[in-house]
Amino acid sequence: MTDYAQVEGLALAQIVTDRFDTFTISQVVQTAKFHNARLVILLAQARLASVRSRVALELEPEGATCVVIGDPAPRAEQRQARLTDSLPRRTPPTTTAAPSDAATDTTEDVR
């Protein structure tokens, strides 16, 4: 991170080490606002890097933007996670009735 900042001619206001990936988007925005930051740099390995577009969207009203540096994940792993990916799949109910049984009239004639 510091090497990237030095090469790009950036002054780092704060480096946050989040070993457990618990730093939230709102905390990133609050920290950027506190330091009047115009750029937030995330390492590609950080969990927040996977939601970079959301971080950038939240930073926009503050006049800041977000970049991700480091080795990007392979293309297959860059797919956006969806809530439905973590939900169990529903399986359609199975029936033992044959299709022809459903068409048979089961009403009895009343005499």
Side-chain angles (χ1 to χ4, degrees):
M1 179 87 52
T2 55
D3 291 341
Y4 175 83
Q6 185 177 17
V7 168
E8 294 296 321
L10 303 171
L12 295 176
Q14 181 176 354
I15 297 176
V16 177
T17 303
D18 186 12
R19 295 182 188 171
F20 302 107
D21 276 334
T22 58
F23 212 64
T24 65
I25 294 172
S26 61
Q27 288 171 312
V28 168
V29 173
Q30 287 174 351
T31 302
K33 188 175 181 177
F34 177 77
H35 290 289
N36 199 27
R38 297 292 162 235
L39 179 66
V40 171
I41 305 168
L42 298 173
L43 292 176
Q45 299 83 5
R47 195 173 282 176
L48 279 176
S50 66
V51 291
R52 178 214 166 278
S53 59
R54 177 62 192 264
V55 174
L57 181 68
E58 296 293 327
L59 287 169
E60 191 175 300
E62 305 304 324
T65 191
C66 176
V67 295
V68 176
I69 62 168
D71 296 328
R75 274 287 185 207
E77 295 177 20
Q78 285 184 339
R79 183 177 64 86
Q80 291 288 333
R82 299 177 308 175
L83 175 62
T84 54
D85 291 343
S86 61
L87 297 175
R89 300 278 182 215
R90 289 179 47 180
T91 55
T94 58
T95 179
T96 56
S100 61
D101 292 344
T104 306
D105 186 13
T106 58
T107 60
E108 294 182 25
D109 290 321
V110 177
R111 294 180 197 209

